[in-house]
Amino acid sequence: MSAKLEEKGAHNLPLIILFGAILAILFAALFLFVYDQQLNALVDQQAESLADELAKTAFASISGGLHSINLPEYLGGSTYSISVKENSIFVVSILAGRRSGSSYSAVVNSTILVEDGKFSPGGQVYFMFNGDVIIASASPIEAKAEKVVKITPTEPPEFYHFSKQFPKEAAAIAAAYFNALGSHSGENVIVVSYVWENTDSILIKIRKGDETTINRAEGRENLTKVGAIENWWVVELLENVELKDNFSWISCPSPDNAYLTGWLYSPEAVLKHLRSRTWSQVSDNLIVAIPSDAKIQASAVTTNVSTYPVWRVQFGNYNIFYQMLPWWEVENTPGFVFQSSPELKPLI
């Protein structure tokens, strides 16, 4: 009996081994199939992600400055190319390897103009908004921004020297002047005189054509340090008030002359200049785009050197202080150019 059982078990052993081998082959085939599908899915995922990232970065460039993304060498091990179709669609095409012949696309709700279409894996794609189109290029795009002003080599006007002695007054006067000037740059705007109404506000008398008005500029002190700035005074409110002649008015040098000769920056020119550059946070290299609706206020900042009239540009939790007047090259003390919080640095 025992011998027969042993004989039967020995007879079944090859069948068991064969069954195990077939089962192992089936599992291996299933594993290879699943692994193959995962590799295909990886190509799909990376290609779709790249198309979306191209569209997202292109659209972000509308806010201003130069934007870019790095192109990977491969997508899931496959070679690829990118192109722009119909002036608004980014297409990622798989050339060889897994998913060869497949394409993936993403649409941008703006017109794309390709300046340098030699996009190559491992390179970069640059974007910049210009007028009403987004420029895409495989090489860095030269900013076509205007300079803030054209500084003349001659000695600065009287308002420049006035701003060095009376920076708060100069900031308030500049705020009132540009407010009165508005979009009518050809109209004659004359700042006649000014006077401190109290410790917080300055009255500025302005003649525009045949009309004389009084502007009140109310300021506020802020002790928050911003880079090298120890404290700052900002014009929070600018309004017209009834004519008051019971003050001892002080004559004012002409901001109009300073502006027309390139020695006084307008808030619009400063914002345009800042937006023409790409900025990143010093702490983490995060790209920061300055919005077109950033708040601009006339201010006076104090450093360990002196106090200067500046323009404050504010958006979100960002504070940028930019010079209101250029610094004359013959000065023997440093002037003020730029400070910010969080600390920013220009990339271009």
Side-chain angles (χ1 to χ4, degrees):
M1 185 69 176
S2 175
K4 288 182 178 181
L5 290 174
E6 289 179 358
E7 182 180 350
K8 185 177 181 180
H11 179 72
N12 291 335
L13 182 60
L15 295 176
I16 294 172
I17 295 174
L18 178 62
F19 177 77
I22 293 173
L23 192 63
I25 292 172
L26 290 175
F27 273 114
L30 179 62
F31 172 79
L32 290 175
F33 174 77
V34 172
Y35 182 65
D36 184 69
Q37 292 300 107
Q38 288 178 334
L39 292 178
N40 287 339
L42 180 62
V43 176
D44 293 338
Q45 179 184 2
Q46 291 186 0
E48 290 172 354
S49 177
L50 177 58
D52 290 341
E53 187 65 22
L54 286 165
K56 178 182 176 182
T57 307
F59 189 75
S61 70
I62 294 177
S63 63
L66 181 68
H67 295 241
S68 67
I69 67 170
N70 296 318
L71 297 176
E73 291 281 355
Y74 301 96
L75 295 176
S78 298
T79 59
Y80 70 97
S81 67
I82 64 171
S83 58
V84 177
K85 305 296 184 183
E86 299 178 16
N87 297 325
S88 63
I89 305 173
F90 283 101
V91 179
V92 177
S93 303
I94 304 301
L95 302 178
R98 292 184 178 276
R99 308 298 283 165
S100 177
S102 300
S103 61
Y104 312 80
S105 62
V107 179
V108 182
N109 292 324
S110 185
T111 301
I112 307 283
L113 177 65
V114 178
E115 186 173 89
D116 177 1
K118 298 178 181 178
F119 307 114
S120 59
Q124 287 184 291
V125 182
Y126 299 87
F127 301 98
M128 177 176 287
F129 190 65
N130 181 33
D132 55 357
V133 299
I134 298 173
I135 298 175
S137 175
S139 54
I141 304 167
E142 183 179 353
K144 299 176 177 62
E146 299 177 1
K147 295 181 179 180
V148 179
V149 292
K150 182 180 180 180
I151 302 175
T152 59
T154 57
E155 182 175 347
E158 188 180 352
F159 188 80
Y160 172 89
H161 302 289
F162 171 82
S163 70
K164 289 176 59 182
Q165 293 183 295
F166 307 102
K168 287 184 179 180
E169 291 87 340
I173 290 167
Y177 167 73
F178 285 111
N179 179 65
L181 191 64
S183 60
H184 306 290
S185 57
E187 193 165 357
N188 192 21
V189 175
I190 299 174
V191 178
V192 180
S193 54
Y194 73 95
V195 66
W196 280 93
E197 184 180 28
N198 53 52
T199 57
D200 297 321
S201 66
I202 301 175
L203 298 179
I204 302 104
K205 186 181 295 186
I206 295 177
R207 188 166 64 247
K208 189 174 182 180
D210 296 329
E211 182 184 7
T212 299
T213 59
I214 302 295
N215 277 201
R216 174 188 288 126
E218 291 190 3
R220 177 177 60 86
E221 289 284 355
N222 195 308
L223 300 180
T224 304
K225 289 189 175 183
V226 176
I229 298 172
E230 298 174 352
N231 57 77
W232 39 285
W233 180 85
V234 59
V235 176
E236 293 281 8
L237 176 65
L238 191 65
E239 61 180 354
N240 286 336
V241 297
E242 293 296 327
L243 187 63
K244 296 182 179 182
D245 286 321
N246 56 335
F247 290 103
S248 298
W249 294 89
I250 305 170
S251 61
C252 175
S254 172
D256 187 58
N257 182 45
Y259 174 56
L260 294 177
T261 56
W263 285 98
L264 177 62
Y265 302 159
S266 71
E268 292 80 13
V270 166
L271 181 60
K272 185 175 182 180
H273 172 69
L274 292 175
R275 280 172 45 77
S276 73
R277 310 192 70 179
T278 297
W279 303 88
S280 70
Q281 289 189 170
V282 172
S283 59
D284 55 10
N285 292 320
L286 175 69
I287 299 297
V288 176
I290 300 175
S292 59
D293 60 350
K295 186 178 182 180
I296 310 176
Q297 297 167 294
S299 303
V301 299
T302 300
T303 68
N304 62 351
V305 177
S306 186
T307 301
Y308 310 88
V310 303
W311 291 112
R312 178 200 181 203
V313 179
Q314 189 272 326
F315 57 99
N317 66 327
Y318 292 94
N319 263 320
I320 296 175
F321 293 92
Y322 193 87
Q323 61 184 168
M324 183 177 283
L325 300 91
W327 199 245
W328 196 20
E329 59 183 12
V330 302
E331 299 282 4
N332 57 10
T333 57
F336 182 93
V337 178
F338 176 96
Q339 292 292 317
S340 66
S341 175
E343 187 178 359
L344 302 177
K345 62 181 179 181
L347 297 183
I348 60 168

